[in-house]
Amino acid sequence: MTRVLAIETSCDETSAAVVRSAGPVGPERHGDPVLESVVILSQDIHRIFGGVVPELASRAHLTALPDVIDQALAQAGTTMEGVDAIAVTQGPGLVGALLVGAMYGKGLAWSLRKPFIGVHHMEGHLFAPELEHRNLRPPFVGLLVSGGHTQLLDVPEWGTYRIVGATKDDAAGEAFDKVGTLLGLPYPGGPRIEKLAREGRPGRWKFPRPMLGELGRGGPDEYAFSFSGLKTALLRAVQASDDLERDRADLCRGFQDAVLDVLVEKTAHLAEALGHPTIVLGGGVACNQALVSRLRERVRGGQRVVAATPRLNQDNAAMIGAAGAWRLAQGERSGWEIEPRSDLPMPGLVG
Ligand code: KG4
Ligand code: ZN
């Protein structure tokens, strides 16, 4: 058994968690991690600015982190001495924000003489669902959709990732946030657009489905995404509206339907093409219940669709603990020289 204290500070959530790895570990087994505690403190300050201000995020992490860690340990009923190893987010993310968590974790590990591991944030998102779904096993198709990334992955085994599709411009979450701003909604736009879209009428606005036409052609862009044109189409519709109050929910519905159509269709198509029995959704946009339910409707039981609950899809340290515990249990360690990187490449990438 390995009990890991995990720290995540890549953006505007200060989070710590305690995760215990209890079962077998390997390319097909994720160690049956048990979540003992997770504390997620969302930094409210950025709302005033309509987006994350990196310097403010770093300072807020520094102020909050010691208490967030203490709470995570207390909720898990343990102390720093009861922890076997420490995992931190090494990247990608805001470099100053990453620096706070990574250096804090490194300092703890050094002073306690405990093993230490730097974890890739997106690998964390991919491991989040297995904290809630015990019998999740590769091979699967992973769709990672966050504020900074949109990636469609072929995962033949844990730790081996083939990126089959990615965005050419904006990430899916970024598109939600920018459209939220265009519609006069507070940051972040994603959750508010989902809520309004539920009240909106489908089909009143028909926006383009970018790059969906590439599917089935076998070209290099078959599984690629692009969301910036959609944002422009929405801007035109907002400009053309003579009553945004009246039209807002319908516009949200039109926009969300367009994004989800592309995400759902490409993900389902890839799972069918590869013959994988499972689809794993991860990242903040996977909090969107319409995405999960539409994908389930689309595959009609042909694939099992697995997503974590919103608490573990948003940025959190539990997912870093899960991925970190898996890597530690396989004997991996980070050296003291590791540095956080805003553009950290995903480990285990294959052609
Ligand atoms: O993974 P995450 O918490 O942070 C990053 O790693 O970027 O993702 C944040 C993104 C934001 O763009 C946010 O608007 C989006 O996830 N998001 C959503 C929903 N909840 C969060 N997008 C659509 N629908 C939601 N319900
Ligand atoms: Zn994230």
Side-chain angles (χ1 to χ4, degrees):
M1 185 203 83
T2 316
R3 179 178 280 134
V4 178
L5 169 68
I7 298 172
E8 149 69 37
T9 62
S10 68
C11 194
D12 58 344
E13 264 85 29
T14 312
S15 183
V18 178
V19 173
R20 181 163 46 85
S21 181
V25 165
E28 285 166 12
R29 300 304 305 266
H30 50 54
D32 302 328
V34 177
L35 180 57
E36 296 195 327
S37 69
V38 58
V39 177
I40 306 167
L41 186 71
S42 294
Q43 302 175 356
D44 269 347
I45 180 139
H46 308 288
R47 281 176 209 276
I48 321 168
F49 301 98
V52 180
V53 183
E55 178 61 22
L56 294 181
S58 312
R59 289 175 193 222
H61 285 312
L62 200 52
T63 312
L65 196 52
D67 288 333
V68 167
I69 291 174
D70 281 351
Q71 272 189 39
L73 291 170
Q75 282 177 24
T78 188
T79 60
M80 211 66 89
E81 284 67 38
V83 163
D84 302 306
I86 292 175
V88 300
T89 307
Q90 191 190 348
L94 302 170
V95 78
L98 289 164
L99 201 62
V100 175
M103 294 306 131
Y104 201 96
K106 200 199 275 194
L108 282 178
W110 172 264
S111 61
L112 296 163
R113 304 277 182 269
K114 309 249 176 183
F116 172 71
I117 188 114
V119 174
H120 192 279
H121 182 84
M122 300 312 288
E123 187 175 46
H125 276 305
L126 200 62
F127 269 79
E130 42 105 64
L131 286 165
E132 296 172 324
H133 301 268
R134 281 235 139 319
N135 51 354
L136 174 56
R137 285 191 185 199
F140 60 79
V141 163
L143 175 69
L144 293 179
V145 270
S146 71
H149 293 80
T150 304
Q151 288 176 339
L152 194 52
L153 303 171
D154 169 19
V155 182
E157 54 181 37
W158 291 111
T160 302
Y161 311 115
R162 184 166 66 94
I163 300 179
V164 182
T167 181
K168 294 192 162 287
D169 37 60
D170 293 349
E174 191 180 357
F176 269 95
D177 295 339
K178 287 180 177 170
V179 163
T181 305
L182 288 177
L183 291 170
L185 300 171
Y187 176 86
R192 286 168 179 88
I193 290 177
E194 180 182 15
K195 194 157 170 275
L196 280 171
R198 266 184 239 134
E199 300 156 20
R201 283 168 287 178
R204 210 178 138 223
W205 265 281
K206 184 87 179 158
F207 292 112
R209 271 53 178 164
M211 313 211 80
L212 197 54
E214 304 291 326
L215 209 52
R217 290 201 185 148
D221 287 340
E222 181 163 29
Y223 292 106
F225 302 98
S226 164
F227 296 111
S228 86
L230 194 50
K231 186 183 62 195
T232 311
L234 208 110
L235 173 63
R236 298 243 165 75
V238 169
Q239 286 166 341
S241 164
D242 57 4
D243 187 348
L244 194 54
E245 289 304 318
R246 181 198 63 209
D247 292 339
R248 194 178 276 117
D250 295 337
L251 285 163
C252 285
R253 181 61 188 255
F255 166 75
Q256 181 173 281
D257 282 351
V259 174
L260 298 194
D261 265 2
V262 182
L263 292 175
V264 162
E265 212 37 58
K266 294 211 171 190
T267 305
H269 194 278
L270 182 65
E272 284 160 3
L274 295 174
H276 288 351
T278 308
I279 296 172
V280 174
L281 299 177
V285 182
C287 295
N288 190 298
Q289 293 308 301
L291 169 62
V292 182
S293 57
R294 281 211 207 166
L295 189 54
R296 288 204 174 113
E297 280 162 29
R298 164 65 179 76
V299 300
R300 278 193 230 95
Q303 275 81 20
R304 177 180 171 218
V305 177
V306 183
T309 49
R311 172 176 84 128
L312 297 185
N313 267 329
Q314 64 165 307
D315 286 349
N316 68 84
M319 67 186 200
I320 301 303
W326 182 79
R327 291 204 166 266
L328 284 160
Q330 296 197 112
E332 289 184 36
R333 304 284 183 270
S334 292
W336 298 120
E337 73 288 352
I338 76 152
E339 297 285 351
R341 273 181 62 180
S342 58
D343 61 345
L344 190 72
M346 184 96 153
L349 280 188
V350 292

